Amino acid sequence: MKTDPMDTDEGDPQSVTAMDVDGVVTDARQAIDMLRGDDVSGRVEAANKLDGVAVALGPERTREELLPFLTEGIDDDDEVLAAIASSLGRLLPHVGGPSHAYSLLPPLELLLTVEESSVRDCASESARIVSDALSDEDFRTRYAVMVSRLAGKEWFTARISACGLIAAGYRRLGDDDQRKEHVRLYAELCRDDAPMVRRVASQHLGELLLAVVEEGGAATSGEDGPLQATFLPLYEELAANSQPDSVRLQTTENCIAFGKGMGILIKKDGDSSGANAESEALLGRILPLIVATIDDRSWRVRWTAASKFADVVGAFSDLPNAVDSLVPAFEKLLQDPEAEVRTAATLNLSEVAKCKAMVRPAPPPRPPGSEEAGSASEGAASLAEEPGGPRVKVAERLVKRVTTLTEDDSENVRAALA
């Protein structure tokens, strides 16, 4: 039988007399009763008042009674659970501050495994708040260990929660072995049997990649470094046609992260020639994957690429010859069979045209009957065969597309030019 956190022995000295006058203790008792009641709306209201209960109890009893009460008597209603998850992030000042922040982790760990995504989202947000307050020692020995447990749990919802928490917490891991372990766990999540886990892992892959690059510097880009040995193979696997649309939708965001990561490495490396050599090796594998999104069988994947293409160009514009592959791909998006894709690409036209990198001029029109066959990635690989001549500004090359867009069959495409 669970003990009511508001029960006290008569002889137990309490320092809530003044607060009792203001009704704090009374409200706290009511909140506990409501939390144990049958009315869902009452339980939600009570869950949103947990910080008031904690004020009445004081830090020690909050840690020793309220948090175990919440952990053992976890509710079965998603709305109540979401309210509890959000409230836990507000309890940090009432458990004794940062030195006792770890006491909030057990109930959060349970909530991070709940099936309802809104509950997990609230729990993840509170977990990040708590993690920010933890000392480095508690972060590594308690929080990071909790995240590792989530990544290895049998139920897929726990593994979904682990994806975002691993990516967000990487920078606080000071131990190289622990960092390698978390990257290894993340790679397993990217290859998880459950498509839902792979989708969320793909969403956070770019975040983790940037954290690894910023913390590891030039050592990450070598042949045996995590960029080439771990992240690039993951990117290739998650962008493959065998993946569900929901996973491939993240391809564009991930390629933006790769571009930013490579840009960071070039800026950090004093020897730009070495950085460029490594960049060219990576670009040789990354660019075909980026360009291939414009030929994806799913119009939603192509739409995502079109809607974020200005960010793609911005991330890669400083890398050698990258724009020579990206601009032809963008031109193809402007001619996509789906009006929604053409509209999204047209909305990005002005930003793409501002790119300061110089690009090869457009190839001459092909004679009738000699249309190019093959995929966009093959087209990217054949760029070296395009005619040379003086390079031109991106805007100069794209201006010829404007006339075609003004005559587009879709009113939305024409309006996007305005």
Side-chain angles (χ1 to χ4, degrees):
M1 181 175 179
K2 296 188 290 291
T3 303
D4 189 329
M6 295 307 299
D7 288 343
T8 61
D9 296 330
E10 291 183 3
D12 186 22
Q14 299 294 316
S15 59
V16 296
T17 306
M19 289 187 290
D20 197 13
V21 174
D22 295 329
V24 175
V25 170
T26 300
D27 290 345
R29 288 185 181 278
Q30 290 176 348
I32 289 295
D33 290 340
M34 291 167 66
L35 197 59
R36 302 173 69 179
D38 295 329
D39 180 53
V40 173
S41 61
R43 298 207 304 276
V44 172
E45 181 182 352
N48 285 318
K49 294 180 178 179
L50 287 180
D51 46 348
V53 176
V55 168
L57 288 173
E60 184 175 352
R61 295 193 64 204
T62 295
R63 296 193 305 269
E64 296 179 359
E65 298 176 36
L66 179 60
L67 295 182
F69 171 79
L70 294 174
T71 304
E72 296 167 11
I74 203 74
D75 206 285
D76 58 359
D77 184 87
D78 293 333
E79 194 175 356
V80 178
L81 293 176
I84 292 174
S86 295
S87 292
L88 286 171
R90 300 194 300 270
L91 291 186
L92 185 58
H94 309 303
V95 296
S99 61
H100 293 282
Y102 64 85
S103 62
L104 293 164
L105 295 179
L108 283 172
E109 184 172 358
L110 283 177
L111 292 166
L112 287 165
T113 67
V114 172
E115 185 171 0
E116 172 57 40
S117 61
S118 61
V119 176
R120 297 198 308 273
D121 290 343
C122 292
S124 293
E125 182 60 31
S126 290
R128 294 186 189 207
I129 292 172
V130 172
S131 71
D132 288 342
L134 291 170
S135 66
D136 290 341
E137 179 66 19
D138 283 342
F139 186 93
R140 295 165 190 163
T141 61
R142 298 177 187 269
Y143 181 80
V145 172
M146 178 195 78
V147 173
S148 297
R149 282 198 302 270
L150 290 170
K153 284 188 180 293
E154 182 178 357
W155 192 238
F156 75 92
T157 53
R159 303 198 299 276
I160 287 177
S161 294
C163 294
L165 297 180
I166 287 176
Y170 181 85
R171 290 177 176 85
R172 293 277 314 268
L173 299 174
D175 182 85
D176 286 343
D177 290 338
Q178 198 169 41
R179 285 183 170 181
K180 290 178 181 178
E181 174 65 9
H182 274 221
V183 170
R184 184 191 67 77
L185 288 172
Y186 202 88
E188 292 180 359
L189 294 170
C190 288
R191 298 180 174 113
D192 197 275
D193 291 338
M196 298 80 78
V197 177
R198 298 201 303 275
R199 174 179 61 83
V200 179
S202 185
Q203 284 177 352
H204 294 281
L205 180 63
E207 180 184 3
L208 180 59
L209 181 148
L210 288 176
V212 170
V213 168
E214 290 171 359
E215 294 298 310
T220 62
S221 63
E223 186 175 348
D224 297 327
L227 265 185
Q228 293 198 53
T230 301
F231 286 96
L232 194 51
L234 290 177
Y235 180 36
E236 291 171 335
E237 292 172 27
L238 293 170
N241 284 331
S242 58
Q243 296 283 1
D245 291 1
S246 61
V247 175
R248 298 200 317 282
L249 281 171
Q250 313 305 320
T251 299
T252 303
E253 286 285 3
N254 287 332
C255 87
I256 292 171
F258 262 102
K260 290 180 178 178
M262 292 166 66
I264 291 171
L265 290 175
I266 288 178
K267 290 178 181 177
K268 281 188 173 184
D269 197 318
D271 182 6
S272 60
S273 61
N276 285 337
E278 292 174 349
S279 297
E280 288 175 4
L282 287 170
L283 279 172
R285 294 175 65 183
I286 295 172
L287 286 177
L289 297 174
I290 300 170
V291 177
T293 60
I294 69 173
D295 277 334
D296 196 277
R297 66 177 184 270
S298 168
W299 73 268
R300 289 176 28 185
V301 174
R302 302 197 307 274
W303 179 89
T304 301
S307 66
K308 297 180 181 296
F309 215 86
D311 294 331
V312 174
V313 172
F316 284 86
S317 60
D318 292 334
L319 301 177
N321 303 320
V323 177
D324 286 332
S325 295
L326 297 178
V327 170
F330 183 66
E331 290 174 325
K332 191 164 185 178
L333 288 171
L334 291 170
Q335 304 170 72
D336 194 271
E338 295 292 338
E340 291 88 346
V341 178
R342 297 198 304 275
T343 301
T346 303
L347 288 170
N348 276 251
L349 179 59
S350 62
E351 290 300 317
V352 174
K354 292 177 184 177
C355 176
K356 295 180 180 179
M358 303 297 283
V359 66
R360 290 191 181 100
R366 294 178 179 272
S370 63
E371 288 82 359
E372 183 178 7
S375 67
S377 57
E378 291 169 347
S382 67
L383 277 174
E385 301 174 8
E386 285 191 4
R391 289 179 173 268
V392 299
K393 294 181 178 179
V394 173
E396 184 178 340
R397 173 162 173 164
L398 292 177
V399 71
K400 297 178 181 179
R401 301 292 174 184
V402 176
T403 302
T404 304
L405 292 171
T406 59
E407 301 171 353
D408 196 277
D409 294 338
S410 170
E411 179 182 352
N412 292 330
V413 174
R414 299 195 301 274
L417 279 173

